[in-house]
Amino acid sequence: MSAVRVLLLGGTGEARALAARLVDAGVDVTSSLAGRVARPRLPVGPVRIGGFGGVDGLRATLRGDDGYDLVVDATHPFARGMSANAVAACGAEDVPLLRYERPGWPPSPRWHVVGTHEEAAALAARLGRRPFLTVGRQELARFTGPLRDHAVLARVVDPPDVDLPTAWTLLTSRGPYTPEGERALVEAHGCDVLVTKDSGGSFTWPKMQVADERGMVVVVVARPEPEPGVQVTHDLDEAYDWVVSRTRR
Ligand code: NAP
């Protein structure tokens, strides 16, 4: 067993995959989840759940008696608050940090790529009548105003905290999804616009495929820029090697 302790900021399938490989290799890795979803898929190995309490809380966690020597931030590409805190806390505590970010989807010239959820909401309101909204529970409040009178199908993992317009249909479900399932869903609801963020990965790709097939308008919220000053990889093998090479000195 390695003496080097690794904190893996997770909440993604890739983080779970990395945790499994590291545990297998005998690395002392603890996965951290935000505790946002009611029934999270748990990674292999030790898990802690809940926020750290900002940068100061994370700094205290890193240097505590059961502190950490390395941090891998494998949170979702849009989980920018956690990534920023990791950069600040690891910098202040001199703990090596690697950001693993799942690659984005290969862009299509058909997509309307926008920089913010607000732009996505305005565009979807203009370009469609029956949007399929798959931006995540935490972003829904940005869409309720502009899409108040649209027949929105909003799909989320857990129900949102905000009240949704009466014209909307809420669907709670969790991927991975299949092209057959997505086809049946958008047909049943007559969706004419797909709104998504560039989450990347294969779990939620089938909706992109089906939207393309059906000639739906596709509005994609682009990823924010990575935090400056952090080493980033899009390759899970590279992330694994980064950790293992630092635990076997
Ligand atoms: P966020 O806005 O970046 O983070 C907000 C706060 O939540 C952080 O400051 C931190 O609280 C806590 N937090 C986030 N990730 C954490 C983690 N892995 N371990 C412990 N605390 C964490 O994040 P978010 O967008 O709410 O996402 C929360 C989690 O859900 C992430 O782990 C992410 O990987 C996963 N997720 C996000 C999305 C998305 O679209 N945003 C989609 C799928 C999964 P403190 O300041 O108290 O430490």
Side-chain angles (χ1 to χ4, degrees), residues 15-40:
R16 286 192 296 278
L18 184 57
R21 287 180 64 184
L22 291 173
V23 167
D24 234 26
V27 174
D28 182 351
V29 57
T30 299
S31 294
S32 175
L33 304 181
R36 288 272 187 281
V37 295
R39 286 174 295 108

Side-chain angles (χ1 to χ4, degrees), residues 10-11 32-33 36 50-54 75-76 79-82 85 138 197:
S32 175
L33 304 181
R36 288 272 187 281
F52 297 95
T75 55
H76 191 271
R80 278 318 203 238
M82 188 68 253
N85 289 356
Q138 296 182 87
K197 14 190 203 202

